Amino acid sequence: MWSNKVIQEKVSYIHNNPVEAGLVSKPQDYLYSSATDYAGGKGLLDHIIVFQYFG
């Protein structure tokens, strides 16, 4: 991935897939998503790298 914008687009797309599929109402509610880590919580996996976006 060649830019912060592209990284942000891809992470957002992945996090929103369970919402678009109607499985959850918020990305961080999906048990197997790193969206929980991005929302300030603790997901299932250790050592998740949360990218910070600089616009």
Side-chain angles (χ1 to χ4, degrees):
M1 293 193 240
W2 50 92
S3 71
N4 281 335
K5 181 181 177 188
V6 172
I7 293 170
Q8 182 178 9
E9 288 172 356
K10 303 308 179 195
V11 170
S12 293
Y13 175 81
I14 291 167
H15 285 168
N16 284 310
N17 277 338
V19 177
E20 294 294 324
L23 300 173
V24 294
S25 59
K26 297 182 291 189
Q28 60 269 27
D29 290 341
Y30 189 63
L31 180 62
Y32 302 107
S33 176
S34 62
T36 303
D37 298 284
Y38 280 76
K42 175 65 181 98
L44 292 177
L45 299 176
D46 292 330
H47 311 296
I48 295 292
I49 297 171
V50 175
F51 291 94
Q52 293 182 337
Y53 307 109
F54 302 99

